Amino acid sequence: MKLDIIGDIHGCYFEFEELTKKLGYDWSSGLPVHPDGRRLAFVGDLTDRGPESLKTALLVWELVMNSRSAYYVPGNHCNKLYRYLLGNKVQTTHGLETTVSEFLSLTSEDKNIFREKFISLYESAPLYHVLDDGHLVIAHAGIREDYIGKNNSKVKTFVLYGDITGQTNPDGTPLRRDWAQKYHGKATIVYGHTPVKEPRILNNTYNIDTGAVFGGRLSALRYPEMDIESVQSTMPFLPEKFRELK
C-alpha cells in the first residue's frame, strides 16, 4: 500500500493542487492521478477559513465516493459542516462562516447537490482508518492505542477534538492534553488538527497539520517511505495560530 496522506487543507485548494503535483500526480483528467498507482488520503478538516472550501470538499467526494481512489476521515470542522447541512443549529464561527458564505452564494440546485454529496461523504467515512493490516491508522486528531478498534462516543470525541480536558484556552479553543507523548503502540498514527510549524514526529505518531490556512505549509506524509513533502501557503502568516509542542 502506497499512500500520500494530506494534512488539514481548510479550503486551500491551490496549495493542495500544488502539493499533489509535487508528489507526482497528474491532473490532466481533472482529478489527481498518480502514474505509479499511489493513492491520496485525507486527515479531515477539508473546509473552513480558506478561500475554496466547497471546491475542496467536492474534489474529495469525487476521489473517495466516485472514483474510489482515496481515503478520508472527518475532522471536527467536517462534523460541524455536516451538522449545519442537516439543518441543526450550529454557530457559524471558527471558520465555518467562510464555508457557509460560499454555500449561500450557490443556486438552490447547486446547494442541493453540494449538500447531498458532502453528507454522503461524511456518513460513509469511518471515524478513523485502520490500513495496511493494522500498521497504519489515520485519525483527524489522533487516537489512543486502547481506542483502536472501538467506535463509542469517547472515541469519537477523541478522534475529532483530541484529548480535551473540558477547559478552554484564551482564544476559546479546547485545552488539550498531549496524547502523543504517552503513545507507545505499534501502529503508525497519522493525524492533524493541531497546527504546528514543522511536522511533529513522536513515538510513531506524525502530526502533519502544518497550518496551511494560517500561512504555514500544506504537508503530506508519503507512506510507507515516511518522507514528508510540503508546499508554502499563499495565505497570510498568523504565528499565534501555531501550537508549540515539545
Side-chain angles (χ1 to χ4, degrees), residues 60-98:
V60 174
W61 179 89
E62 287 285 349
L63 292 169
V64 175
M65 302 297 292
N66 203 21
S67 66
R68 307 283 178 177
S69 61
Y71 298 92
Y72 159 77
V73 296
N76 57 304
H77 285 263
C78 303
N79 173 265
K80 196 174 183 183
L81 176 58
Y82 168 70
R83 289 184 283 120
Y84 170 83
L85 293 172
L86 287 179
N88 296 352
K89 188 175 182 180
V90 297
Q91 290 188 332
T92 52
T93 55
H94 298 295
L96 180 60
E97 65 276 8
T98 64

Side-chain angles (χ1 to χ4, degrees), residues 153-169:
S153 60
K154 282 187 177 180
V155 176
K156 181 177 180 180
T157 298
F158 193 105
V159 166
L160 290 180
Y161 300 99
D163 193 2
I164 56 178
T165 65
Q167 299 174 304
T168 57
N169 294 305

